[in-house]
Amino acid sequence: MSGASTATIADLRQQLEGITSSGARRGGFLPFGVPEIDRRLPHGGIAVGALHEVAGGADGAVDGAASAAFAAGIAARTGGLVLWCYRRPDLFAPALARSGLSEDKVLFFEAVDEASLVECFELAVSHGSVSAVVAEVASLKRVPSQRLQMAAERSGTMAIALRRWMTQRDAQDFGNPTAAATRWRVTEINSEILPVQGVGRSRWLLELMRCRGGESSDFIVEACDETGGLSIPADLADGQDAADAWGGRAAS
């Protein structure tokens, strides 16, 4: 590891030591507040002290817009300060704020390479001074994921691996096994139809691809609001099958 990288990680450690109270949740489960989703999850929510994977579907595997918004919404609802680790400097802070993660709730850390990013991810989760850590990682092997899961269990900090790749081909790595408690894929679809000219609230196909102790499920949801919350579109609240809705609303 280069001297610059070592110094950067030391700076992060010093910042974490300076955070004395974050309001972090300790253990337990975080519900989405959407019955259609929560009833598919063990204990009615996702484990707070655990590792979760999030990736974008279709073009979102590369640009990461919808998956980042989904991860931001979850992180914002953990109730404390959030650390966001990344390598690609393309984050748009106002978009995170629209998902509930305003600038007073998040710290950013730019890593010099993938190895440093994963190291910082584990360090911050282990430290336990923040309520959630989001890390934009391309590769997540089984052993590092196991360390992250164990660190989250000990500290009570939620670890969110936001998977981003340079090409669609690289996204095939998402099928490899990890220790994550849940694995989600978020794909943008056609937005809400308005009675007037304009663009309505964004909609996603939200796929729960893996859930420890639960089953896979698909949902059509409206994108996170300013509190980080999701909702089921009113026209689908009657129980319309998500797969049918996906087929009828898929974006080109």
Side-chain angles (χ1 to χ4, degrees), residues 182-233:
T182 63
R183 174 180 285 174
W184 304 83
R185 184 164 60 193
V186 190
T187 305
E188 292 199 52
I189 58 178
N190 287 353
S191 64
E192 172 190 9
I193 299 176
L194 298 178
V196 296
Q197 187 174 7
V199 178
R201 185 174 174 182
S202 297
R203 290 184 176 184
W204 300 332
L205 171 66
L206 180 62
E207 299 172 83
L208 176 56
M209 302 180 69
R210 180 183 184 276
C211 179
R212 187 184 305 154
E215 298 181 358
S216 300
S217 302
D218 297 343
F219 313 93
I220 297 294
V221 299
E222 293 183 325
C224 297
D225 60 19
E226 65 278 0
T227 70
L230 301 172
S231 63
I232 298 296

Side-chain angles (χ1 to χ4, degrees), residues 9 99 142 156:
I9 293 174
S99 294
R142 179 181 286 275

Side-chain angles (χ1 to χ4, degrees), residues 10-120:
D11 291 341
L12 174 61
R13 183 179 285 108
Q14 186 175 15
Q15 289 187 54
L16 292 173
E17 292 293 345
I19 301 172
T20 57
S21 177
S22 68
R25 307 168 72 102
R26 299 300 173 191
F29 296 85
L30 180 69
F32 284 91
V34 180
E36 292 87 345
I37 300 177
D38 292 337
R39 67 173 175 241
R40 301 296 184 95
L41 299 168
H43 309 285
I46 59 174
V48 175
L51 170 66
H52 305 277
E53 281 186 88
V54 178
D59 292 340
V62 176
D63 65 52
S67 54
F70 176 68
I74 294 175
R77 292 186 298 106
T78 59
L81 194 62
V82 174
L83 178 67
W84 195 292
C85 306
Y86 64 93
R87 287 186 59 205
R88 295 161 62 176
D90 57 359
L91 273 173
F92 187 53
L96 298 184
R98 288 183 61 185
S99 294
L101 199 56
S102 54
E103 61 180 10
D104 60 322
K105 298 179 181 179
V106 60
L107 297 173
F108 297 104
F109 178 82
E110 184 174 353
V112 296
D113 54 35
E114 185 81 4
S116 297
L117 181 65
V118 174
E119 183 176 352
C120 294

Side-chain angles (χ1 to χ4, degrees), residues 155-167:
S155 68
T157 292
M158 181 179 288
I160 302 177
L162 179 57
R163 308 297 303 279
R164 290 193 65 188
W165 301 276
M166 296 300 295
T167 68

